[in-house]
Structure formats: C-alpha cells, structure tokens
Amino acid sequence: MHIVIIGNGVAGNSAVSAIREVSEETSITMISQEPFPEYSACVLSKKYISGEMKREAVFLKTSEDYLRENVRTIFGQGVARINIESKKVLLGTESINYGKLIIATGGRPVVPSIEGIDKQGVFTLKTLEDADRIANYSGRKVVVLGPGYIGIEVSIALKKRGWGVSLVGGRTGRILRPTFDEKPSLILRKIIEDYGIEVLTGERAIKFGGDTHVHNVVTDKREIKCNMVILVLGIRPEVELAQKAGIAIGNL
C-alpha cells in the first residue's frame, strides 16, 4: 500500500502519525506546494511578525523528522491534477501512483475584488512566506482589513514593531462579532484602542490608491494613508484539486 498525502500542515502530519501508529512499513509520500517542513501557522501573526520569535522557532519538524518517520517528501512543488481512474497524482514532470490518497490542502485567503488589489504592499496572511514578506516590508503605516482574531493579532504585532496601525472592517460595527456579543466586543475594542491602534468598524475598503505601491486605502467613509495593507478577511476551503478530479466534497 502506498499512501500519498497532499498537504504538509496539521492535518497532513496528523495523518502520518496515525498511519505510523498502526504500520511502520506503509509507504508514504507527502507533497506540499510550500518548500518548508511543518511549521506553526498559529504563531505567525502573533509572535513571528512582532519579532518576539525567531524564524527557526516557528518550525515543528525538521527534514530529519520526515526521514525518521520514513516519509518521502516532495516540497516546493504543487500538484497539477489528480487522476482518480488511474490513481495517479500528477506533478509538473512526474506522476505518482497511490493506493490511498489523503487531500489535506487546508484553505486559501479570501481576496475581494477591490480596485488596486494587485499593488505592491498589499498582502494576505496565511503562510510562512506571507509572514516573511510582511515582517521584512519597510514602511510606517499599515491598514489591516478584517477585525477578527488574526487581524487583531497582526495589528498588535506590527504596533510592537513601531508601525502605525488602522484596523478596518466589521460591517456591523463590532470586532470579533461571531464570538462575542456587544458588551465584551466593546471592552476588547477599548483595550485595542488604548494600545494605540485605530479601530474603524462599520466601513469597507473600496479602493487601494498609489502607483505601483499602495499609498492609501479609500473606504466608503474616508481615505487612510499607508505603506502596507494586510487582508485577513477569512479563509475558504482549498478544494479546487478535488473538484477538478470529480471527487465529492461537502457543502461550502
């Protein structure tokens, strides 16, 4: 039996652990578009971007750990498609046969259709590469779109780095609305504002201004000058590979 796992996050590595609990001999190949060993996505927005955690500390595994688990790794290469009839995973120049296939591709950031979204200095925050780009970007003022957990964490992290921060969004006028009702939401907002972060809820971005680099965010209420924009507007399941292969998926 040869098992192929697409994805090197928590789900994919948990699958490896579960397989190895019952079989040391089963052949496993793990494929990941990212070139890194497993890392903790949870610390990126909070500890790594703030500078409180060194880059090497974000990793949960080393290359040697995969060798110890007897897992063949193909990192830094995405899957082009899956052929479920012939049981093959097709890469750019290689095809891999499988007996069982585990798709653990996680999610992708929600990116809205906003004028100027392709300007330099506009980032999503999902992967280590995203966090690297944000941590190494130069500027003084950032607009964070999305007042959820990740948006608040990266706002605080960049404030610690000396950035001026505006946290924008929340159509209802509240932060963390899915989790908290009005009273605790207002308490948390006050704490964030006291930390020196401008919180602007009940408005939405309609344009990113500037030439090749973002220079401002235009909302339906104001214009905010900035050098960087971070989009943290939610995650959608990464199901494109499964859909193209004709694999049944749940309701989205």
Side-chain angles (χ1 to χ4, degrees):
M1 171 72 72
H2 181 211
I3 299 176
V4 172
I5 301 172
I6 305 174
N8 182 34
V10 173
N13 283 281
S14 295
V16 169
S17 298
I19 294 164
R20 286 291 173 252
E21 283 181 5
V22 297
S23 172
E24 293 292 332
E25 292 76 31
T26 298
S27 175
I28 302 174
T29 298
M30 176 176 278
I31 305 169
S32 175
Q33 189 163 350
E34 293 189 76
F36 315 111
E38 185 188 11
Y39 59 85
S40 172
C42 298
V43 302
L44 299 181
S45 60
K46 189 173 183 180
K47 295 292 185 181
Y48 173 52
I49 289 176
S50 70
E52 296 171 271
M53 177 179 283
K54 292 184 178 180
R55 191 177 188 275
E56 57 266 26
V58 309
F59 294 102
L60 302 175
K61 279 188 174 181
T62 66
S63 298
E64 289 73 26
D65 291 323
Y66 296 94
L67 291 173
R68 253 191 311 273
E69 293 175 322
N70 191 23
V71 175
R72 179 196 176 197
T73 59
I74 303 175
F75 291 168
Q77 189 172 171
V79 173
R81 65 188 181 92
I82 301 164
N83 188 321
I84 59 175
E85 286 77 22
S86 61
K87 289 193 171 184
K88 291 180 183 292
V89 172
L90 305 173
L91 308 177
T93 58
E94 181 183 4
S95 66
I96 301 171
N97 295 312
Y98 64 84
K100 297 287 185 181
L101 176 65
I102 298 173
I103 302 174
T105 45
R108 64 180 185 274
V110 172
V111 179
S113 296
I114 299 176
E115 182 182 346
I117 195 85
D118 58 344
K119 294 187 186 299
Q120 293 185 48
V122 179
F123 302 106
T124 55
L125 178 51
K126 173 66 168 60
T127 67
L128 177 55
E129 288 182 328
D130 293 334
D132 284 338
R133 286 190 284 266
I134 291 167
N136 294 312
Y137 200 74
S138 297
R140 301 181 64 182
K141 179 63 188 296
V142 60
V143 173
V144 179
L145 295 182
Y149 288 107
I150 304 302
I152 290 170
E153 284 183 353
V154 74
S155 294
I156 293 171
L158 287 168
K159 186 67 180 177
K160 289 178 179 178
R161 293 280 292 265
W163 285 73
V165 183
S166 292
L167 178 62
V168 179
R171 287 172 295 178
T172 63
R174 295 212 318 259
I175 65 169
L176 297 172
R177 182 181 179 276
T179 306
F180 298 106
D181 60 20
E182 186 173 5
K183 186 174 180 179
S185 176
L186 289 172
I187 292 170
L188 290 168
R189 176 176 181 147
K190 178 68 164 50
I191 292 170
I192 294 166
E193 288 176 331
D194 287 347
Y195 194 70
I197 295 168
E198 181 181 41
V199 181
L200 303 170
T201 55
E203 57 190 273
R204 61 184 180 87
I206 57 177
K207 179 182 177 181
F208 300 142
D211 40 31
T212 57
H213 292 71
V214 66
H215 290 163
N216 62 69
V217 173
V218 179
T219 76
D220 51 2
K221 293 185 179 179
R222 75 192 80 227
E223 176 184 323
I224 311 166
K225 294 189 181 300
C226 62
N227 312 110
M228 177 166 62
V229 175
I230 303 175
L231 307 173
V232 277
L233 299 167
I235 299 293
R236 289 197 177 103
E238 185 61 87
V239 295
E240 186 177 359
L241 272 177
Q243 287 176 322
K244 287 183 176 179
I247 300 169
I249 59 174
N251 294 326
L252 299 179

